[in-house]
């Protein structure tokens, strides 16, 4: 059966929210960046006309547009707005799957009889988001997620584009593999495909499977399907937790540092935040990943899987610390610290054999109970004070999609 | 330019159809009449829900915050051109 999948993509999201908050910014070149830091997180469309892009430094942006207005981001504002957008989408169907803070898939196949075809529903969604939140979005429509996502990129801002099944082959014959970036193919994969002579989406779809597997391993199956515009993955139901694969938090330090006490304090802070979310979702994990970004934006990332499942910040920290010790002594100052946990299962609250562990986990639950009543980190490990004194930027963390659902 | 203030204020509020709309506030002995609420959003602080308002008196943009638990109002930020 043919599906109708929508991808809703908010245009220049953070900058648009700030322009809505402060009407004086409307129509002006605006960039949103982290407090005290100098990387452009989002640029308004007016700023983009000057060539300003995400990832650029503020000095670079100012060279291109001396009048650019810099706004420090407020992630709480954007999360709340995202949740409001989800509530609008849920008026049509419960098959709403957040893809990122500013993108969402919808499967409207089963509700077309109620609300009209995909185009009608998409127009209504655009109208509601504009009326209720004052924001623009681009919507792509296709028979699967890959096509819908690709369609959403074709007309920006405030676009609406549907790609029919019969047009997929023609369109993909003209697409370069670089244009598939963001639709299941990253920059490095696109570069590697070009290096082995696969330049277009059609060539990717027609490529010999054994050849792709030889160069990309098991990813080769997935890449071939992308090249053919084939994607059978369903759009999950909004409250479905089954797809949560990991929880992670990262934080950009107020200034780059070599100080190990400070860096370890931040690793503990991130580990504690991950532990809180893990327990909130009633889950356990056993693969801990640590990411360190240096002052020159070079990164180190490694993961470690243990034999048993864990759920507390301290347990996560001990593994992250073990990974961190492997890169000592530091050759460059550290700019960002990130910790995540994956390999997740539901916590069925099985009693422990050893009383000490049982009490330790009960303590974590009690701390959660106090902090949920009085505020995050009302009760916290003492060594977090080191990070607090160094400086916690207004909001810390990468937001996993599980956090941007009510 | 944005200046962090974070001071308690007195606010005059209208409750309208499950919505809270600040109409004026007093800060440093001066009364500010709110001409427009440009944006609202919510955050949590423990059990307390905080409602944030971006408002303007026509000249200056203010960020106000109402703590739903204790009904306290705070002027969080002031933005001037």
């Amino acid at each position: 059966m043919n599906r109708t999948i929508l991808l809703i993509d908010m245009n220049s999201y953070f900058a648009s929210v700030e322009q809505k908050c402060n009407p004086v910014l409307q129509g002006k070149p605006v960039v949103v960046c982290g407090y005290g830091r100098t990387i452009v997180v989002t640029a308004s469309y007016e700023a983009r006309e000057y060539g300003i892009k995400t990832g650029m430094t503020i000095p670079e942006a100012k060279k291109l547009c001396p009048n650019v207005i810099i706004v420090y981001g407020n992630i709480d504002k954007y999360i709340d707005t995202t949740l409001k957008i989800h509530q609008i989408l849920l008026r049509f169907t419960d098959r709403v799957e957040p893809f990122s803070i500013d993108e969402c898939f919808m499967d409207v196949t089963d509700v077309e009889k109620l609300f009209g075809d995909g185009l009608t529903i998409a127009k209504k969604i655009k109208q509601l988001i504009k009326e209720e939140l004052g924001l623009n979005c681009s919507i792509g429509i296709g028979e699967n997620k890959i096509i819908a996502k690709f369609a959403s990129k074709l007309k920006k801002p405030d676009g609406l584009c549907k790609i029919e099944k019969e047009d997929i082959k023609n369109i993909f014959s003209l697409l370069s593999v670089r244009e598939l970036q963001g639709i299941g193919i990253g920059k490095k994969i696109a570069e590697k495909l070009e290096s082995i002579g696969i330049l277009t989406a059609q060539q990717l779809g027609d490529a010999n499977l054994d050849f792709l597997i030889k160069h990309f391993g098991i990813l080769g199956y997935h890449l071939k399907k992308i090249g053919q515009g084939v994607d059978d993955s369903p759009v999950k139901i909004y409250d479905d937790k089954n797809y949560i694969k990991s929880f992670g938090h990262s934080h950009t330090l107020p200034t780059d540092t070599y100080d190990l006490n400070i860096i370890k304090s931040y690793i503990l802070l991130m580990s504690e935040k991950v532990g809180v979310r893990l327990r909130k979702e009633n889950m356990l994990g056993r693969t801990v990943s640590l990411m360190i970004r240096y002052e020159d934006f070079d990164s180190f990332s490694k993961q470690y899987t243990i034999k048993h499942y864990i759920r507390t910040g301290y347990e996560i920290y001990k593994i992250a610390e073990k990974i961190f010790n492997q890169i000592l002594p530091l050759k460059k100052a550290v700019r960002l610290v990130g910790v995540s946990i994956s390999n997740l299962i539901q916590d069925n609250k099985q009693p422990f054999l050893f009383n000490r562990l049982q009490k330790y986990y009960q303590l974590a639950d009690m701390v959660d109970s106090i902090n949920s009543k009085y505020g995050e980190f009302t009760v916290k490990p003492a060594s977090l004070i080191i990070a607090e004194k160094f400086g916690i930027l207004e909001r810390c963390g990468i937001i996993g999609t599980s956090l941007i659902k009510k | 330019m944005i200046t962090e203030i974070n001071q308690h204020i007195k606010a005059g509020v209208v409750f309208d159809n499950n919505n809270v709309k600040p109409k004026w506030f007093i800060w440093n002995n001066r009364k500010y009449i709110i001409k427009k609420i440009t944006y609202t959003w919510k955050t949590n602080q423990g059990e307390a829900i905080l409602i944030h308002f971006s408002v303007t008196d026509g000249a200056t943009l203010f960020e106000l915050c109402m703590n739903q638990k204790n009904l306290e109002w705070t002027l969080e930020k002031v933005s001037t051109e």
Side-chain angles (χ1 to χ4, degrees):
Chain A
M1 179 188 164
N2 284 343
R3 298 186 294 163
T4 306
I5 309 295
L6 274 52
L7 189 281
I8 294 92
D9 183 352
M10 300 307 297
N11 299 143
S12 176
Y13 189 39
F14 296 174
S16 297
V17 171
E18 295 301 338
Q19 285 176 314
K20 182 70 179 72
C21 265
N22 188 352
V24 162
L25 300 179
Q26 284 167 15
K28 292 185 181 168
V30 171
V31 295
V32 176
C33 67
Y35 187 79
R37 281 297 186 167
T38 59
I39 296 297
V40 173
V41 174
T42 316
S44 69
Y45 278 96
E46 296 85 358
R48 290 180 197 189
E49 284 175 15
Y50 288 88
I52 296 175
K53 290 177 190 173
T54 297
M56 212 172 245
T57 65
I58 296 297
E60 283 171 342
K62 280 189 171 168
K63 258 190 200 168
L64 293 170
C65 175
N67 295 332
V68 69
I69 299 166
I70 296 152
V71 176
Y72 294 131
N74 182 337
I75 196 72
D76 291 319
K77 208 189 291 185
Y78 314 140
I79 292 172
D80 189 70
T81 305
T82 294
L83 293 173
K84 286 175 182 161
I85 292 166
H86 292 174
Q87 291 307 307
I88 292 173
L89 304 182
L90 286 166
R91 293 178 205 170
F92 295 88
T93 176
D94 60 355
R95 292 226 168 246
V96 172
E97 183 180 328
F99 186 64
S100 68
I101 195 168
D102 65 347
E103 291 169 297
C104 232
F105 284 108
M106 286 175 77
D107 186 340
V108 298
T109 313
D110 294 337
V111 297
E112 283 180 301
K113 286 176 189 166
L114 288 171
F115 298 108
D117 66 3
L119 269 170
T120 307
I121 293 172
K123 283 177 188 169
K124 187 69 185 167
I125 288 170
K126 286 171 68 65
Q127 183 194 343
L128 288 170
I129 291 175
K130 184 74 183 177
E131 278 172 2
E132 294 183 23
L133 300 171
L135 300 172
N136 288 326
C137 64
S138 293
I139 300 184
I141 307 174
E143 63 161 15
N144 61 47
K145 285 180 180 179
I146 287 175
I147 303 301
K149 188 148 180 14
F150 178 67
S152 75
K153 287 163 53 125
L154 291 178
K155 283 181 190 165
K156 281 187 171 190
D158 198 17
L160 174 58
C161 180
K162 180 177 181 179
I163 296 179
E164 302 285 356
K165 186 175 180 174
E166 50 270 22
D167 295 328
I168 291 172
K169 201 166 180 179
N170 272 347
I171 290 171
F172 271 48
S173 69
L174 301 170
L175 270 185
S176 71
V177 290
R178 281 188 187 266
E179 289 173 284
L180 292 175
Q181 281 181 50
I183 320 173
I185 286 185
K187 189 179 171 193
K188 286 192 175 159
I189 301 259
E191 285 171 356
K192 191 170 174 186
L193 283 167
E194 287 176 344
S195 73
I196 58 172
I198 296 176
L199 305 175
T200 70
Q202 186 172 24
Q203 287 173 344
L204 177 58
D206 292 342
N208 180 276
L209 183 59
D210 290 336
F211 178 72
L212 288 174
I213 291 170
K214 179 185 163 192
H215 286 280
F216 298 97
I218 200 161
L219 185 62
Y221 288 101
H222 181 62
L223 290 173
K224 189 171 170 74
K225 283 196 166 182
I226 292 175
Q228 294 167 337
V230 171
D231 178 9
D232 299 323
S233 63
V235 174
K236 298 207 164 45
I237 292 173
Y238 189 66
D239 285 328
D240 189 350
K241 283 185 188 173
N242 289 341
Y243 71 94
I244 297 175
K245 297 241 176 345
S246 67
F247 295 104
H249 274 276
S250 70
H251 194 85
T252 303
L253 279 56
T255 52
D256 306 338
T257 184
Y258 284 94
D259 191 316
L260 296 182
N261 285 333
I262 290 170
I263 296 165
K264 287 189 176 184
S265 183
Y266 275 95
I267 294 174
L268 177 60
L269 175 63
M270 297 302 107
S271 302
E272 286 290 335
K273 288 181 85 77
V274 169
V276 166
R277 283 174 62 200
L278 202 56
R279 293 190 297 278
K280 191 176 177 185
E281 299 288 344
N282 239 358
M283 299 189 102
L284 304 166
R286 61 187 192 101
T287 298
V288 173
S289 304
L290 174 71
M291 204 256 286
I292 299 289
R293 186 168 296 149
Y294 298 106
E295 56 189 333
D296 60 359
F297 289 88
D298 209 8
S299 295
F300 161 81
S301 179
K302 194 165 184 182
Q303 66 184 35
Y304 190 75
T305 302
I306 56 172
K307 288 180 186 161
H308 59 279
Y309 286 92
I310 57 176
R311 66 194 281 268
T312 68
Y314 188 67
E315 289 171 304
I316 295 166
Y317 169 72
K318 290 312 284 180
I319 299 164
E321 188 194 24
K322 202 170 160 179
I323 300 171
F324 179 64
N325 288 341
Q326 293 174 18
I327 58 168
L328 299 178
L330 289 174
K331 294 177 185 59
K332 294 180 261 194
V334 168
R335 175 190 170 84
L336 176 146
V337 163
V339 174
S340 65
I341 191 163
S342 56
N343 224 327
L344 306 177
I345 59 168
Q346 283 296 130
D347 183 1
N348 57 14
K349 307 277 187 213
Q350 213 171 35
F352 285 91
L353 198 58
F354 299 108
N355 207 26
R356 180 179 63 82
L357 277 173
Q358 187 74 33
K359 282 185 177 175
Y360 182 58
Y361 276 25
Q362 281 170 347
L363 176 64
D365 289 338
M366 272 192 254
V367 169
D368 284 346
S369 181
I370 295 169
N371 289 342
S372 68
K373 189 173 169 108
Y374 296 104
E376 194 183 38
F377 293 126
T378 300
V379 175
K380 62 191 174 236
S383 48
L384 286 192
I385 294 171
I386 299 172
E388 285 176 0
K389 282 192 171 170
F390 192 66
I392 306 285
L393 301 180
E394 191 169 294
R395 176 72 163 152
C396 101
I398 283 174
I399 309 300
T401 51
S402 67
L403 199 64
I404 52 171
K405 283 167 35 175
K406 267 208 165 115
Chain B
M1 189 180 117
I2 294 178
T3 308
E4 295 230 358
I5 308 292
N6 290 319
Q7 290 178 8
H8 288 311
I9 54 172
K10 190 180 276 190
V13 176
V14 167
F15 293 85
D16 175 21
N17 258 355
N18 292 328
N19 287 325
V20 174
K21 294 180 184 176
K23 290 295 182 185
W24 53 261
F25 64 94
I26 296 173
W27 175 46
N28 283 347
N29 295 318
R30 184 181 156 185
K31 188 173 185 177
Y32 294 85
I33 307 293
I34 294 167
K35 286 208 167 144
K36 192 177 178 186
I37 300 170
T38 58
Y39 214 72
T40 61
W41 66 100
K42 287 181 188 173
T43 58
N44 294 316
Q45 192 178 73
E47 280 182 336
I49 295 173
L50 307 180
I51 307 178
H52 304 264
F53 302 85
S54 190
V55 304
T56 177
D57 65 351
T60 306
L61 192 80
F62 303 91
E63 268 186 32
L64 310 181
C65 174
M66 184 187 96
N67 183 318
Q68 264 195 335
K69 194 174 180 190
N70 59 20
L71 301 180
E72 269 180 11
W73 283 82
T74 307
L75 171 61
E76 293 187 307
K77 294 176 188 169
V78 176
S79 174
T80 51
E81 269 292 280

